[in-house]
Amino acid sequence: MRVAGKGLVNRDKSVTFRFDGVSYTGFEGDTVASALLANGITLMGRSFKYHRPRGVLTAGSEEPNAMVTVGEGAGAEPNVRATVQEIYEGLMVRSQNAWPSLDFDVMAVNDLAAPFLGAGFYYKTFMWPKRFWEAIYEPVIRKAAGLGALSGKHNEDTYEKAFAFCDLLVIGAGPAGLMAALAAGRAGVDVILCDEDMQVGGRLLAESGAVGHLSGADWAASVMAELEAMANVRVMTRTTVTGAYDGGTFGALERVNQHTGKRGGGAPLECFWRIAAKRSVLAAGALERPIAFQNNDRPGVMTAGAVRAYLNRWGVSPGEKVTVFGNNDDAHRTALDLAAAGVHVAALIDSRQGITVEAASFPVIVGAQVCNAAGRKALESVTVRTSAGEQSIQTDCLAVSGGWNPTVHLTCHMNGRPTWREDIQAFVPTAGSIPDMAVAGACDGVFSTLGCLKDGLRAGQEAAEALGKRVVAVDLPVADDAAYALEPLWAVAGKGRAWLDFQNDVSVKDIKQAAVENFRSVEHMKRYTTQGMATDQGKNSNVMALAVLADATGRGIPETGTTTFRPPYGPVAIAAMGAGAQGHGFAPERFTTSHKRSVERGAPMIEAGLWYRPSYFPKAGETTWRQSCDREVGYVRKAVGVCDVSTLGKIDIQGPDAAELLDFVYTNLFSTLQVGRVRYGLMLREDGTVMDDGTCARLGETHYVMTTTTAAAGAVMRHLEFVTQCLHPEWQVAFTSVTEQWAQFAVAGPKARELLNGVLAQPVDGESFPFMGCGPVEVAGVQGRLFRISFSGEHAYEVAVPSRYGASLFDLLLEHAERMGGGAYGMEALNVLRIEKGFITHAEIDGRRTAFDIGAARMISAKKDCVGKTMAARAGLMDEMRPQMVGIKPVDAAAVLSAGAHLYECGAAQVNGNGLGHVTSVGYSPDLGLQIGIAFVARGAARHGDVVRFVDAVRGLETDVEVCAPVFVDPEGGRVRG
Amino acid sequence: MRIDCPLCGARDRREFYYQGAAVALNRPAPDAGVEAWDDYVHLRDNPAGETRDLWHHEAGCGAWLVVTRDTVSHAVSRVELATDVKGAMA
Ligand SMILES: [Zn+2]
């Protein structure tokens, strides 16, 4: 219910939203949680395992209970914390993990079965029989347990990711963070201040104390106004810093439009930031921990700080009759603030003896503990135990405080371990855990407002100084400086289940059970009980669980250990991290100059690395790709075919030592290559395996153009950089990738020269352009290059022009080709053509093949050193039992072959270890009228003519194939020279 | 992680390609023998502490860099151009 005169929400602006289909009204500034509480709704969710009714526990992002699904349809977002989600007009929110309804949940029957569902239950029960797991247990458990579900539909929402840079990142805009940002900002430091809340102020928004002559909230607003006026300060609200990484890099999630109904139109829902900061100040505050007692999870049981926040910030009392239970002075504030606001306080229960509360207008029971709570869907009463006995108190809200845990999470992200402080019974960050990070305020165990202001000021000034700025004075406002005193109380003794991890339903008993079963290490206990492994990562409960484990194992808390906090601090949608990477954004797309024409001609485009290449060019009447492919192969074998080969890597190499570089990276010699000639080259890795192959043309005395395969273009470029920078920086040679500068087309077939002579300014002949010749040409008025090279075994050329002329040259070549009975050919035909000739691609040189394996051992020149030469000479790499490249053709001409199939001796058992090798490429040869393939077979070079068994167990193919030389067409190579 | 490229300045690690230990700079002579080559191609230290790696500023200036860093703290203590390091070895 709303409390008159309290809160920071805008009471002039009411907002209507729906929860489980029912319309509610709140105010601008409300979260779903505060608005529901204001409407008297306390039941907000069901727990993960036992489906126990749960209310809201906290008022912040640490919330374990109140998880809701926001929105409807494809973009519905599950597991949103009701304490974080701001309400906006038309917001639709649904409860989760309950069926048929939140009020009546069938699966709550699990709660009755609780004695059988304790720690380690899954491990013990479902180990046997094995097949039962997949068939029965898992589906049932998956249906019963679990939080919200994704829609399973494509999410149309926009997400974004971005980089930001600053000198100082201040994490948290409470009193400490604001002072740090103010001190650094005034000193001229380039500051980013992040806070996950919708407005700055942190705990000041939730407290009633003043800062200077202003309320805490007004003081925060005044600082915000000053910071916003500074050009050197950026304030990012609704931004959770999720992780601290190497080199001053931080991850942060900004909820850009989660608080508005705005969807689409380019405005992102969330943005994932990577912030690079020279220094940082962690002022993340502290999180309150509850106390475990029987039925402490009843809706209406909340942290004391949350109750105070709902009252002071949102003007809401979560109950009409509130009881407060704590082990520290801070809890008293909740009772005092409630009473001052006119809310009935049933009692203040302090577990410590001899405590007095000044000006208390409510009963104070000291040396007492709450040992039970009653009321299933809403709290009705609590049982209080004193030395005098037990008494029941009628109450609909219990505010509990077991003390505060500094939010040390980020300081653990680089393997730091927090330090236990006995005086505050909590872990604090260990100095130096994150390089160049200072910790300030409650995050460092400083719990008074004045202390936080002072600590933040110090941290801001020290950061400014470290960044070389002159420190500017900042006045320290007067504020509360009360000491923080507590006596440890983690779990109240008693029967029944006392809850620690609310979301995962882990009780004190479960932790004790883990200890009994010798899961005494914190990490083991966590995994055995699932403590702290829910979406809230045990922010409220980990330290409590640790204390219970310490107690159960007879050790102190620091000896027992601490859990490891890993990024992200809060949940981050994969959509935000992978923003932009859906659909076309998944990978860059590279298009050739003929792309548009190819698509227009109906060619299905296939990916080749990032490139897209035409698979084949269908013609009217063709119903299968094979028909198109066979026709295109025919163009090249019988007339002339045109194919865009621009995707091959092209590297322009120039300088006096260009030849020396090539001699070193290729196995064969290039220094002896004449100007105007092209040579095929093979490259090895230093370990002796084949890296890549391709041709290299010598355009001038000190000028070469290297081509690489499409796949290895980047790797070869990197390799050349490595050789010239790391091995031979003394060489005078420069090179650059010109892949995208030149459009290059293969013109192949018996009529190739005839076609070219129709478009070249100067006709070519066998003398001016012999096989493997190259040189400049003028084509259709454009200066280009011509290479007489062939990847099909036919008389062929590749003609290159600057990319801007590529599309029109493609048109021109096709026009001529089609007039001559030829046309365009795609990747399928190109593949058949090269298999017929035994030309390799990366299907063959897959990173395991040596020059010896592919029958190219003699290409390793004896006259010089080259990369990989020494290691390629190892006996094991030249063993004749190694799989060597061969051709295969089926004995039965109608048999179907497939790449990836294995080869065995005929009659041999087809088992692992018995294989002779495998098939790397297959295609249908129209010339031969059967399928042919390239394979690697042990001792293959000596086995031509042998028949072996071809087995593709995946596709269910099996047939006899004959091993042969890997050249099926024109073995003498006469055509290419013709 | 960020690497301070001597040519480009501090850049996010996504701009760099990681190669491995900087021993790759010390290519043996062709006749150095089996052990020297085995060592060069295959054997690497796995230190808990300082290590020297080769990184390539592939999405930047194209420079190969020798990065000295600590495998425990991940602190980068030095970034040099490989050409300078190799040049100094001559
Ligand atoms: Zn660079």
Side-chain angles (χ1 to χ4, degrees), chain A residues 163 165 245-249 274 276-277 414-415 435 664 686-687 714-715 717-730 865-871 874, chain B residues 1-2 10 12 14 17 19 24-31 33-34 37-38 40-42 54 56 58 61-65 72-75 81-84 86-87:
Chain A
F163 279 86
F165 302 86
Y245 304 92
D246 293 327
T249 307
R274 291 183 176 92
M414 288 174 71
N415 229 10
F664 188 64
E686 197 66 279
D687 65 5
M717 187 69 188
R718 195 161 58 226
H719 180 59
L720 297 184
E721 298 277 18
F722 173 80
V723 167
T724 53
Q725 293 179 42
C726 299
L727 299 180
H728 291 287
E730 74 280 8
D865 184 23
C866 73
V867 173
K869 180 177 177 179
T870 304
M871 295 304 260
R874 284 180 288 174
Chain B
M1 180 179 177
R2 294 174 69 74
D12 188 82
R14 287 165 188 79
Y17 174 89
Q19 171 79 15
L25 298 176
N26 313 321
R27 188 173 187 269
D31 58 357
V34 175
W37 274 95
D38 183 35
Y40 176 68
V41 173
H42 299 126
L54 281 171
H56 183 218
E58 193 168 31
C61 61
W64 277 92
L65 307 174
V72 178
S73 70
H74 298 184
L81 291 173
T83 50
D84 291 349
K86 184 67 181 179

Side-chain angles (χ1 to χ4, degrees), chain B residues 3-87:
Chain B
I3 294 173
D4 200 352
C5 173
L7 302 180
C8 308
R11 298 295 177 89
D12 188 82
R13 59 136 176 100
R14 287 165 188 79
E15 293 187 9
F16 298 86
Y17 174 89
Y18 175 74
Q19 171 79 15
V23 297
L25 298 176
N26 313 321
R27 188 173 187 269
D31 58 357
V34 175
E35 277 184 29
W37 274 95
D38 183 35
D39 196 40
Y40 176 68
V41 173
H42 299 126
L43 302 182
R44 294 291 179 268
D45 290 334
N46 184 20
E50 190 176 279
T51 185
R52 288 171 83 234
D53 305 323
L54 281 171
W55 294 72
H56 183 218
H57 199 182
E58 193 168 31
C61 61
W64 277 92
L65 307 174
V66 177
V67 176
T68 307
R69 66 188 181 95
D70 191 303
T71 58
V72 178
S73 70
H74 298 184
V76 175
S77 53
R78 199 140 56 113
V79 183
E80 302 156 280
L81 291 173
T83 50
D84 291 349
V85 176
K86 184 67 181 179

Side-chain angles (χ1 to χ4, degrees), chain A residues 54-178:
Chain A
R54 294 281 163 80
V56 66
L57 179 72
T58 72
S61 67
E62 72 273 28
E63 176 62 30
N65 281 348
M67 313 276 282
V68 293
T69 295
V70 172
E72 290 196 310
E77 189 163 347
N79 306 333
V80 174
R81 293 147 294 177
T83 50
V84 173
Q85 178 62 51
E86 298 166 45
I87 59 166
Y88 54 81
E89 198 59 42
L91 170 71
M92 308 275 259
V93 186
R94 274 181 290 134
S95 60
Q96 308 180 153
N97 204 28
W99 185 86
S101 74
L102 183 58
D103 194 52
F104 177 75
D105 176 10
V106 166
M107 291 312 296
V109 70
N110 274 10
D111 200 24
L112 301 175
F116 311 105
L117 296 173
F121 156 74
Y122 297 112
Y123 306 109
K124 289 170 188 164
T125 314
F126 299 131
M127 287 304 288
W128 184 92
K130 236 178 184 174
R131 66 195 163 79
F132 268 43
W133 175 257
E134 270 180 38
I136 297 169
Y137 297 139
E138 198 191 356
V140 170
I141 290 171
R142 287 238 179 269
K143 195 164 186 294
L147 303 165
L150 288 166
S151 67
K153 294 174 192 137
H154 176 67
N155 186 354
E156 297 286 351
D157 292 329
T158 310
Y159 290 79
E160 191 56 273
K161 58 187 172 195
F163 279 86
F165 302 86
C166 62
D167 290 339
L168 179 66
L169 173 66
V170 179
I171 303 157
L178 284 172

Side-chain angles (χ1 to χ4, degrees), chain A residues 456-536:
Chain A
L457 176 59
R458 170 197 58 80
Q461 288 180 333
E462 284 176 7
E465 212 171 341
L467 289 161
K469 300 287 184 187
R470 194 189 308 191
V471 171
V472 177
V474 178
D475 289 337
L476 191 67
V478 180
D480 161 67
D481 196 22
Y484 169 74
L486 88 167
E487 267 175 23
L489 175 61
W490 308 101
V492 175
K495 287 185 288 187
R497 284 172 295 168
W499 302 96
L500 296 168
D501 184 324
F502 284 49
Q503 195 177 122
N504 267 0
D505 281 335
V506 179
S507 67
V508 170
K509 255 187 193 167
D510 292 323
I511 306 292
K512 288 182 175 166
Q513 181 68 27
V516 166
E517 296 186 25
N518 217 20
F519 293 96
R520 294 159 59 94
S521 136
V522 181
E523 297 300 329
H524 291 159
M525 174 276 282
K526 270 188 73 168
R527 279 151 189 81
Y528 197 56
T529 62
T530 72
Q531 162 64 41
M533 294 171 76
T535 59
D536 64 301

